[in-house]
Amino acid sequence: MLLAAVIRRVRVINMNRLLLILAFLIAAPVSAVTRYVGKASDGGSDSNTCVQSQTLGTPKLTIAAGIGCMAAGDITYVRAGTYVESFYEGINITFPSGTVGNPITIAKYLSEEVTIQPTHDLALGLRVINFNTADYITLDGLI
């Protein structure tokens, strides 16, 4: 009887450990990546890979290219300047969706001023940004 009680206790302890490990894995946040977009004078080039764009010195040249590298939880910092781009989901870009705890974020870099102007493409309706199905997207400090 004593042996049976010990075995039951070991099973309960192991099950509790398993549940704790599973809860940690389910609740673990997505590993966020920081990326950069910058003008040619900042080293910006859309030929830079998504991995290279994780370094301030080798950013993507266009915001659209930066968005193309993003996944839930990522943040893309945009360096100073005026970017003539329009983002119309489903027509010229696919926005990744974030999640409740891991939105995607597109933000100005530090205190730099970033302006986005529409491309004046009538097919895009003179919009700068149009989301259709993407969720949990944060735009911070963009004009």
Side-chain angles (χ1 to χ4, degrees), residues 35-62 65-66 76-79 83:
R35 302 181 192 287
Y36 300 92
V37 170
K39 294 296 189 175
S41 59
D42 299 318
S45 171
D46 284 345
S47 296
N48 291 339
T49 66
C50 291
V51 171
Q52 288 173 315
S53 72
Q54 294 175 31
T55 303
L56 186 60
T58 53
K60 289 288 193 177
L61 179 63
T62 61
T76 294
Y77 287 110
V78 184
R79 300 295 311 271
Y83 295 81

Side-chain angles (χ1 to χ4, degrees), residues 16-135:
N16 287 342
R17 283 186 183 163
L18 178 63
L19 291 174
L20 181 63
I21 290 169
L22 286 174
F24 175 76
L25 291 175
I26 290 170
V30 174
S31 179
V33 173
T34 299
R35 302 181 192 287
Y36 300 92
V37 170
K39 294 296 189 175
S41 59
D42 299 318
S45 171
D46 284 345
S47 296
N48 291 339
T49 66
C50 291
V51 171
Q52 288 173 315
S53 72
Q54 294 175 31
T55 303
L56 186 60
T58 53
K60 289 288 193 177
L61 179 63
T62 61
I63 297 170
I67 291 169
C69 294
M70 296 183 80
D74 289 358
I75 183 165
T76 294
Y77 287 110
V78 184
R79 300 295 311 271
T82 298
Y83 295 81
V84 181
E85 299 184 58
S86 291
F87 313 102
Y88 198 109
E89 186 179 13
I91 293 181
N92 71 339
I93 195 165
T94 300
F95 276 96
S97 282
T99 63
V100 172
N102 295 294
I104 69 161
T105 301
I106 304 163
K108 69 178 182 175
Y109 180 69
L110 300 176
S111 61
E112 297 182 358
E113 187 172 294
V114 176
T115 302
I116 305 174
Q117 291 181 344
T119 59
H120 300 292
D121 182 341
L122 294 179
L124 301 178
L126 299 177
R127 296 180 177 130
V128 173
I129 300 174
N130 183 61
F131 304 110
N132 288 326
T133 59
D135 294 315

